[in-house]
Amino acid sequence: MGVVRVQVAPGVHKTYHTADIDPKLLQTVSEKEAEDAKNTGNNFYKQKDYFKAIKFYTNAINLQPDKAAYYGNRAAAYMMISNYTNALEDSVKSVEMDPNFFKGGLRMIKCYIALGNLTAASRALQDLKSRDPNNSTSYASENTNINRLRDLEANADKDMNKSDFRRVVYVMDRALEMAPACVNYKTKRAECLALLGRYNEAQEASNEMLRANSLNAGALYVKGLCLFYQDHLDKARQHFLQVLRVDPDHGKARLAVKEVKELESTKQKGNAAFTSGKNEEALKLYRAALLICPNNKLTNAKLHANIAAVYIKLRNYEEAVKACTAAIKLDDGYVKAYARRIVCYQELEQHEDAVRDAEKMHKMEHSRESKQRLRDANIKLKMSKRKDYYKILACSKSANMDEIKKAYKKAALKHHPDRHSHGTEEEKATAEKQFKEVGEAYAVLSDPKKKLRYDNGEDLDDPMGGMHHGKHSYCFHQGFPHQGFPFSV
């Protein structure tokens, strides 16, 4: 048995058992209390305290659950805090109670638009028009919004088919201005952010949707996509499988699971082939893996770097440079690709390019290793700009002293001025120059200490122990006089 407090005079209340009160009086009391609650809610609404307004509108509904206006008021407050799902529920309820409740019908249309349900919005608009044809201005405004959103959806689909993901993000931003609670628009925008490599933004958008609904399949898919494109293949597969548990018909997630498995398998087979020395097979497998998911830039960058490793093993440095460059184009911060390209540039004697890459690496890493790599690259660049004594003597850099001596004798004989005494002045000058260079080269390479300093890239003209060109000439003439042809050793 319940009780109720009844105002019998201003400021005077009495408490009665409900069984002792006339039902009509009880209804009157309930209506008055409900109206008071509604009015209090209205005051909070005007003060923009929508949460308190909702609380009092709810009290009014509990007291008078068949009053359409109360649901309409609460719907308006829900809309102000962007809770369009609850606002729609109240709007629909208000129209069911009173089909002629125009505000309720208009709010229902606005909620459908905000949620991106354009079919339901159009249907609700037609129903409202048929019941109340005299509000053409309101109808025109909502009809414009519906048509504008349909145009934006069509444009987004076209841009998506053209892989113009940046444009899709722009279009979805415009659509969300009119339909801020549309999950489909949010999901498409987040997916395109992931496809653009803007992973932090995509994950933030996904997390926002998951806070509203932890089983949002679209948001879970985008999170998996971000992991996939950041080369976290195992975690990505787990997310895609979770999507399929939530929505077994999610086609993109099903395809993604297949791509992850195929990519992992093909890459592992390529690695195994490389380790086993099956270089051509490794190249074939790495190239096949590149075709599985062209949008997966980070994984594909690693595949290009793997291809470069194969070419380095085959001593095909030109192709290795191309593969490293492809990797860097996909991931400008990929240190391993820069390191491999430096090796290739140095093998190809493109030392200035090697120094540029070493400088980039050092800026990225700022480590002891990167500093040493840059120092070594600069030394090799400096070495490349001085005379190549091994080339002058036509011997290898690994030649021993006997081989260097033999190479010296052969080169000196070839360029000795006596052999070119009958040539033109230009030919004699060239021979004289080459002859001196042969002596200079031998003076350095025949001296173990000087040879070591030369091989280490040290400056031989350094006053702290480097030698001078005049001494080269002296040494040379000692070993190969102008008279006494042939050699005197």
Side-chain angles (χ1 to χ4, degrees), residues 123-237:
R123 186 168 57 245
L125 181 58
Q126 293 305 316
D127 289 345
L128 190 58
K129 278 183 181 179
S130 66
R131 294 195 301 270
D132 188 348
N134 299 320
N135 286 282
S136 57
T137 303
S138 299
Y139 301 147
S141 176
E142 302 310 324
N143 194 57
T144 297
N145 290 338
I146 292 170
N147 290 333
R148 174 62 178 151
L149 284 171
R150 281 178 172 155
D151 289 341
L152 289 171
E153 286 182 357
N155 291 337
D157 288 341
K158 289 178 184 177
D159 294 330
M160 197 75 174
N161 289 334
K162 293 187 293 186
S163 297
D164 189 350
F165 307 123
R166 195 177 305 278
R167 178 68 184 174
V168 176
V169 171
Y170 172 81
V171 172
M172 288 296 95
D173 281 338
R174 302 291 76 75
L176 285 164
E177 289 172 1
M178 291 183 285
C182 181
V183 174
N184 287 338
Y185 295 168
K186 290 179 179 180
T187 302
K188 184 170 285 189
R189 177 181 180 274
E191 181 180 352
C192 288
L193 287 171
L195 291 167
L196 288 168
R198 293 160 62 177
Y199 304 119
N200 289 339
E201 293 174 76
Q203 288 175 328
E204 185 179 338
S206 300
N207 288 336
E208 182 184 341
M209 287 187 280
L210 289 169
R211 281 192 290 271
N213 176 11
S214 62
L215 297 179
N216 184 322
L220 289 170
Y221 170 74
V222 171
K223 288 200 74 172
L225 205 60
C226 290
L227 291 166
F228 185 34
Y229 289 161
Q230 292 179 94
D231 199 42
H232 302 305
L233 302 186
D234 187 55
K235 289 182 179 179
R237 182 176 60 251

Side-chain angles (χ1 to χ4, degrees), residues 263 266 285-295 299-301 303-304 307 330:
L263 190 54
T266 308
L285 287 163
Y286 289 144
R287 286 172 180 151
L290 283 170
L291 300 176
I292 294 170
C293 185
N295 289 324
T299 300
N300 288 348
L303 289 169
H304 281 295
I307 289 172
L330 293 175

